[in-house]
Amino acid sequence: MPSAIPPARPGVLAALFDALPADCIRLGAEIGVRHHTDWTGMDPQCPLALLLPRSTEQVSTMLRICHAHSQPVVAQGGLTGLVGGAHARAHEIALSLERMDAIDPVDTSGGTVCVQAGAVLQAVQQAAEAAGFVCGLDIGARGSCTIGGNIATNAGGNRVIRYGMARDNVLGLQAVLADGTVVGSLNKLVKNNSGYDLKHLFIGSEGTLGVVTQAVLRLHPQSCSTQCAFLALPGLDAALQVLRDARASLGGTLSAFEVMWPSFYAFVTGLPGMDRPLAGTHGLYLLIEANGSDAGGDAGRFEAMLSRWLEQGLIVDACIAQSLADTARFWALRDAVAEFPVHLPKRSTFDVSFPLDGMAQAVHAIDAEAEAAWPGCTRLYFGHLGDNNLHIVIDVPATQGRHAPEIEAIVYRAVGALQGAVSAEHGIGRKKRQHLSVSRTEAEIATMRQLKAALDPRGILNPDKVL
Ligand code: ZN
C-alpha cells in the first residue's frame, strides 16, 4: 500500500534555490502538465517542484539537498513508461534529465558511444547509424523516450531477439546515489570483471536505487540487407518450430519474430488505412525479419527457408516483402498497438512473459476465463515470441474498464501458475507493485529491500515504486 503522505519538508526549496541557478527549479504553473503524469495518464498531479539539471554535478547537489531534508524525488526521462514508474505525486519533487541530452562522437574503434541520460533514443540511433553502427535498443516510443529511462527500466522492444534488453547494451554507467554520491565508471571494456558490476544495480531499478546520468552503449555492426515476411501458421506449435529453425538457419541474423493471434490480426487489419497482407483466417500470424551482411545470398537463403517451412506444413501462406515499403506496411500492423488508446480507451493491457512450452496453455486459460466471464469481450494477443513476451489487451465493451481488477486476476493467475513474469519489459512502477510477489519469491523481495535500504536509507528515491 502507498505510504501516508508525509508532511511538507521545510526548507528544502529554499536550500535548492540557494545552491542552484534559479532556472534549474520550476514551481507550480511553471511546471508543464507533461510532468503531471506519464503515458499511463494515471492520477495527474503537479509535483512540489521540477528540477532541471544541466550536469551530473547539479544532479548530485540536488540529491544531496533532498537527502538532507528527506525529500522524496522522482527521476523522469521521456515519460513514456506504461506502469507509472516516473509518476510524481504532489509532495514529491520531479527530477527531469531532459537538459542532459549530449551524445559524444561514436568511438568507431570499439563501437561504443557515451551519452547523457536525457538523450532521446532516436537521436542516439541516428548518431550510431551516421557512424556506420546500429544501436541495439529500439522501442515504439523511440522519438520521445530517453536513454536514461531506457536504462532505468531495462527497456525491451522489437530488437531484443537480436541485441538483448537495455542491460545487454550498456557497457558503462554513471549514476548518482540518494545522498549525492556519484558512482560508476564510463567503462568501454567488454571484459571487465573487476569486482561487483554495479551498473546492473541501477539498470532496471526504475529510479529507486540511484539516478542514471550517463552511459556508454555498446553498438553493433550495421547490416546491409533486410528480409521480411508476413506469414500465416497453423498454430503456436508450428511457430515454436519455426523459431527454432530460423535461429539455426539464419546464422544469428534473426532480428524480429513478432507473433499475432487471429483476433489481433482481424482487429488491426480492420483499422482505417491498414493493409491485409494475407487473406483468410489462420491459426497464427508471424512477422519475421532478418538483417544480414550478405546482400547477394541473404534473400535466397531466406526464401529457401520459407519454402522449406511451406513444404513441411509449418506455414500455410506467406507474403514476402519486395521492398522497404512492404516491410513498413507489415510493421504498421504490429505498430498499430499505438492506436489502441484511441480505439479501446478503457482496455486492460498486459506485458507478461511465459515459458515457451507454457505459452499455448497460458493463452488458452486466459481466453477461456475471459470468455466465460464476459462473453464476446475483445481479447487481443500478440508479442515478441522469441523473448517469451506476450502482450494482451482485454476490453469489455460498455463497462468503462470497471472489470479491470478481475481481468488482472485472470491474467496474473495464469502467470503465477505457469512460472511467468508479471512484467516482461515495462517494469513494475506503481501499477504492478502489488503483483510483484507473483513472480518473485519472498527471499528475493527481502533482498531487494536490503539493497534499497543500503543505497537509499531515507527512502527518498521514487518511493512506493517497484517494492
Ligand atoms: Zn513489447
Side-chain angles (χ1 to χ4, degrees):
M1 293 299 291
S3 49
I5 292 183
R9 304 289 165 182
V12 67
L13 294 179
L16 287 165
F17 274 110
D18 272 354
L20 295 153
D23 75 338
C24 289
I25 309 164
R26 287 190 192 155
L27 302 173
E30 298 164 1
I31 301 173
V33 288
R34 197 170 89 77
H35 295 276
H36 291 193
T37 183
D38 61 8
W39 274 15
T40 60
M42 75 159 47
D43 195 15
Q45 43 194 299
C46 182
L48 182 63
L50 170 67
L51 302 180
L52 295 159
R54 288 195 169 83
S55 64
T56 299
E57 201 185 354
Q58 286 184 344
V59 175
S60 168
T61 301
M62 290 165 177
L63 289 180
R64 182 171 46 74
I65 292 169
C66 290
H67 179 77
H69 291 80
S70 296
Q71 168 60 48
V73 180
V74 178
Q76 295 186 335
L79 290 162
T80 60
L82 298 172
V83 290
H87 178 277
R89 295 168 291 185
H91 65 284
E92 294 169 335
I93 287 182
L95 170 60
S96 171
L97 283 289
E98 66 196 62
R99 283 178 178 168
M100 293 174 59
D101 62 353
I103 302 171
D104 283 0
V106 169
D107 174 348
T108 53
S109 63
T112 62
V113 64
C114 184
V115 301
Q116 282 186 310
V120 171
L121 175 58
Q122 197 163 43
V124 176
Q125 291 175 335
Q126 285 162 356
E129 276 152 34
F133 291 87
V134 172
C135 172
L137 277 174
D138 186 42
I139 61 176
R142 64 186 74 79
S144 312
C145 67
T146 63
I147 291 294
N150 295 153
I151 291 174
T153 58
N154 187 28
N158 297 334
R159 291 184 188 166
V160 172
I161 196 165
R162 179 79 179 264
Y163 302 117
M165 302 276 280
R167 183 182 301 285
D168 303 298
N169 290 277
V170 177
L171 286 174
L173 185 147
Q174 181 190 65
V176 182
L177 299 182
D179 67 359
T181 306
V182 179
V183 288
S185 58
L186 297 174
N187 170 69
K188 290 183 177 183
L189 311 174
V190 173
K191 286 191 172 180
N192 185 351
N193 271 350
S194 315
Y196 298 165
D197 199 341
L198 296 176
K199 66 175 179 281
H200 288 300
L201 280 180
F202 305 106
I203 303 173
S205 73
E206 300 183 49
T208 62
L209 297 181
V211 175
V212 175
T213 46
Q214 223 174 319
V216 177
L217 302 179
R218 173 187 206 165
L219 303 177
H220 306 272
Q222 230 167 35
S223 49
C224 63
S225 80
T226 294
Q227 268 68 48
C228 186
F230 201 89
L231 310 175
L233 293 80
L236 196 56
D237 283 348
L240 294 178
Q241 281 191 59
V242 160
L243 173 62
R244 224 172 21 243
D245 191 63
R247 278 185 159 137
S249 307
L250 291 170
T253 64
L254 178 62
S255 305
F257 199 89
E258 297 294 320
V259 166
M260 303 163 212
W261 268 255
S263 56
F264 178 92
Y265 185 70
F267 188 87
V268 297
T269 53
L271 296 176
M274 287 293 170
D275 259 16
R276 189 179 169 85
L278 298 174
T281 301
H282 302 280
L284 207 66
Y285 298 86
L286 169 66
L287 195 175
I288 185 170
E289 189 175 296
N291 295 304
S293 53
D294 173 12
D298 287 337
R301 237 185 329 269
F302 189 76
E303 283 173 32
M305 181 180 74
L306 298 189
S307 305
R308 198 169 62 239
W309 292 343
L310 210 50
E311 280 165 29
Q312 293 169 338
L314 293 174
I315 61 175
V316 289
D317 202 358
C319 188
I320 302 175
Q322 303 298 332
S323 62
L324 288 176
D326 285 348
T327 300
R329 275 194 290 276
F330 296 166
W331 275 104
L333 294 173
R334 176 58 180 80
D335 292 339
V337 295
E339 296 177 36
F340 286 2
V342 177
H343 301 286
L344 300 167
K346 298 294 177 183
R347 75 212 178 285
S348 292
T349 65
F350 299 90
D351 157 50
V352 291
S353 277
F354 289 103
L356 290 182
D357 57 5
M359 188 71 79
Q361 198 187 335
V363 173
H364 183 262
I366 292 165
D367 207 57
E369 278 199 61
E371 170 65 18
W374 308 285
C377 67
T378 305
R379 282 110 55 195
L380 311 178
Y381 307 91
F382 57 102
H384 323 279
L385 191 71
D387 319 322
N388 305 92
N389 188 180
L390 184 69
H391 292 305
I392 305 172
V393 171
I394 299 183
D395 186 65
V396 187
T399 59
Q400 298 302 306
R402 234 178 9 253
H403 296 295
E406 296 140 270
I407 297 171
E408 279 189 4
I410 290 173
V411 173
Y412 293 136
R413 195 155 49 235
V415 169
L418 291 159
Q419 277 91 51
V422 290
S423 175
E425 57 179 356
H426 297 168
I428 296 295
R430 208 170 122 189
K431 234 175 130 184
K432 292 191 176 183
R433 256 180 98 205
Q434 72 272 33
H435 303 296
L436 185 62
S437 60
V438 173
S439 359
R440 294 291 188 198
T441 63
E442 257 177 58
E444 283 177 309
I445 293 173
T447 307
M448 290 183 199
R449 288 193 197 286
Q450 278 180 318
L451 276 173
K452 171 75 176 167
L455 292 179
D456 180 18
R458 298 187 182 174
I460 65 161
L461 292 179
N462 220 0
D464 300 322
K465 311 281 169 60
V466 185
L467 291 169

